[in-house]
Every structure is written in C-alpha cells, then in structure tokens.
Amino acid sequence: MLVNILSLVVVLGVLVLLHEGGHFLAARAVGAPVTVFSIGFGKRLFGFRWGETEFRWSLIPLGGYVRILGLGPDESNLIKAGSPEPTLLARWKRGVILLAGPLANVAGAVVFLAVAFSLGVEVPIWQDQRPVVGWVDPTSPAATAGMVPGDEVLAVDGKPITRWRDLEMATVSAPGKRLALTVRRGEQTFTVTLTPKDVRPYALGWAGLFPPLPPVVERVLPGSPAEKAGIMPGDRILAVDGKPVGHFLDLVLLVGERADKDTTLEVERAGQRLSLHARPRREGDQGKLGIPLPTTRAVRKLGLPAAVREAVAECRHMTGETLWVLGRMLTGRASLRQMSGPIDIAKFSGEAARSGTVPLIWLLGVISLQLAIFNLLPIPVLDGGHLAVLAVEGIRRRDFTWQTKERILNVGFWIVMALVVFVLANDILKNLPALWPSRP
C-alpha cells in the first residue's frame, strides 16, 4: 500500500505539474499575471517566490492549480489587485490559457508513449489482427449465442470492428448490456445478440471470445507429466483421447478433465504424427500436464521517429475509444462503475512501478491523455466548461453577467462534486478486500 500511495503521488504530481505548467506558460506568453502556482490543494506547506508568482507545495497532493488574474469569475477576477471593478482578460487570451492545460497533457501523453515505445513496450500479439474468433468458452454468453471458432466479427451495435482490440473494448465496456454483433461465417453474414457477463469488482464485460492461439508447445516444465510423456517444444497437439484440439485452450480444457487419468495425445512433430501417453497430475480439481501457456505478448521497440508516429496513433486510438465509452455511459449502454478514482489509480500506479520503468512511463502517458479528455468535457469548473462559456460569449459578442457566470460555476461545481463522491464510493467498494484484509 505504501508503494501504491507513493506511486500515486509521483504520477499525479508529474501530470498536474504538466497540466498547470501549460496554463502557467500560456498565461506568461499572453502577459497575464500569475500569483500562485500550487502542487496540491489546501494548506501551504512550503514554497518560494519568483517574480510575481509564488510557487508552493500544498497539503493535499491530489491535484493543483494556478491562480491567474483576469481568468474567471472567482478569486482570479482582477487583473490588478485593488481594482474597483472585476476586470477580465481579453476573451482570446482566456481561451489560449484554458486550452493550454489539456494540450500540455496531450503533448505529455505523446512524449511518454514515444519514450515507452523507444524503450520497448509489451503488447498483445493479436491486438491488431482481424477479429476472427479462435475459441469460444463453452460456458460463455458467446457460446449461448451460437458463435463458433472461425466467425469474424464485423461490427458491434453497428460500429465497424476491424481489430481484436476493438472487439475487446466493445465487450469489456458493456457488462450486463445486450450487444448486437454482426458476424461473418463463410459466405453468410448475420447478427447475433449476447450479453457480456458482469465481472466484478471492476464491472468489466466478459463474452467468452478468444483470438487464435495454436496448440503448439512452447516449453515443457522439468519433471512434469508432459516431459515424462516425451512431449517436446515445437510439438503441435492435435487431439486428446481422440477429441480434436484446434486451440491451446481446447488442450487446457480437455486435460483439465483428465486429472490422474491415463491420456493419449496425438502430436505432430516435424511433419510426423505421434501417439504419446501421459497421466495429467491433479492440481486442485484440474488436471495439468506441465505445458505453460504460449507467449501471448510481444515487445515493440521502435526508433525515435517511428516511436513518435506510433505514440500519436496510439493517442488517437485511445481518444476514440474513450469518447466511445463515455458516449455509451451517457446513454446507459456502459456501466459508470468502470470509472476509476484515486484508490484505483494508486493501485495501478503501484503495479506499474513494481513492473518496471516502461509500464510506469506508459501509465503516465495513458493517464495524461485521460486527464486532457476529462478536462475538455463541457462541464462548468473544468477547462472545457470555461471554453464552452467563452464560445457562447463569442457568439453573443458580449460576456455573461457576473451573477450568471457564478451560477454556471456553482452548477458545475456540484456536478463535479457529485461525480467525485460517486467515483470515490465506487473505488472504496471495489477495493474493500484490499483496504481491509480479513485476519486469518
């Protein structure tokens, strides 16, 4: 938990510095006075003054702010302290300053992801492959819907699907929600409906569809039943007791049913077909041969120019996916319980930090992009809300009254506070076992 907390402080500290730094640099560029640059909220702990700006570290390190005079209807109204009337900056200056924070996060996301790609990122080997089904869990919603290996998913709820990554996003984001899948099987194209199971505690959908994974032995554990039977790396398992094996998970399922039973394996080795005999050992209530799952991830390591291009493409993909999921949440087709707050972010940050430098850098890029998207939502109090108000004022060619601005700000504040309370409560409920583990 300590590593999680420290990782959260580091991740949020870096991203808040990036976001507020964007506002700060834009304000300086347009000549707007900046009185405070704070990492964290609440009571000032320490800091220093540089020119007209006080740089400080505050008590609660979950965010930060810059106080830019003339930016909005709050304590930052006055361009000059002591002015008799609230005075705002020119509308274009306010727009530049407000937009600079999210844009700094977007730029940061590209930089973080590019660095990760240049160092080497592990990615699922099938994420960019066509969504052709390799295996269907016999107990899954997909099996109930009649889907079989070889089916290709063309669309989900009318949205075209071209990659496995798109299909996974569509099903994972819709727990308990009915989906219409357009499927191609041979020369036929038809629609099936299925409802992904709600997998707790993260409210993720599970349809039971898996990409192709050939039943080829990558390695054999020393002293295992597979080694004793003479199975070797490179062997392709064709059948278990006469039942055909077309996918590695077929092998897992069939062997799992044969704990402590003499089993015949049909194997292809260097073009020859062999019959080998094994006795899967019992582990729990499952039979195991000692053949680990083949590698399902590959390292993508790119030169700097290619890494930057890939980072830009990844940010574009993630933005589209995020907006799609947000749209489904607003229409009730995706669960709001999928949203993560500080507890989840702390856990993800801690896991990334323990996994190594590249996963932590990748997480920084992902959260930086999410922070930019969230801040651009047209909700008052957020940058996007202020920009929306500026846009309307620009169309009207005059600003709203101070009373109207304050009412808009208050509505936005309570919307954000309600969202914060919901996300925190959801975070706590998802992580109760981790926060308060039961005693043995």
Side-chain angles (χ1 to χ4, degrees), residues 215-227:
V216 176
V217 178
E218 189 171 277
R219 59 193 182 95
V220 177
L221 298 180
S224 65
E227 185 182 60

Side-chain angles (χ1 to χ4, degrees), residues 9-10 12-21 36-46 54-66:
V9 171
V10 170
L12 289 186
V14 170
L15 297 183
V16 168
L17 182 64
L18 189 64
H19 182 90
E20 300 303 335
V36 176
F37 189 124
S38 177
I39 299 297
F41 295 103
K43 181 178 175 60
R44 177 185 182 276
L45 297 180
F46 56 86
E54 180 194 5
F55 295 85
R56 66 172 67 160
W57 188 279
S58 299
L59 180 62
I60 306 171
L62 301 179
Y65 64 93
V66 285

Side-chain angles (χ1 to χ4, degrees), residues 385-440:
H386 290 306
L387 287 167
V389 170
L390 278 178
V392 174
E393 289 177 336
I395 294 171
R396 298 174 73 235
R397 296 179 179 273
R398 57 193 174 91
D399 284 0
F400 291 114
T401 64
W402 290 106
Q403 293 80 5
T404 300
K405 287 177 181 287
E406 289 171 352
R407 290 192 189 102
I408 293 172
L409 200 65
N410 286 333
V411 169
F413 172 79
W414 289 112
I415 291 174
V416 171
M417 286 305 298
L419 184 61
V420 167
V421 170
F422 172 82
V423 169
L424 273 174
N426 187 45
D427 249 14
I428 292 170
L429 290 175
K430 283 189 291 186
N431 292 281
L432 272 175
L435 292 172
W436 293 284
S438 60
R439 294 183 179 275

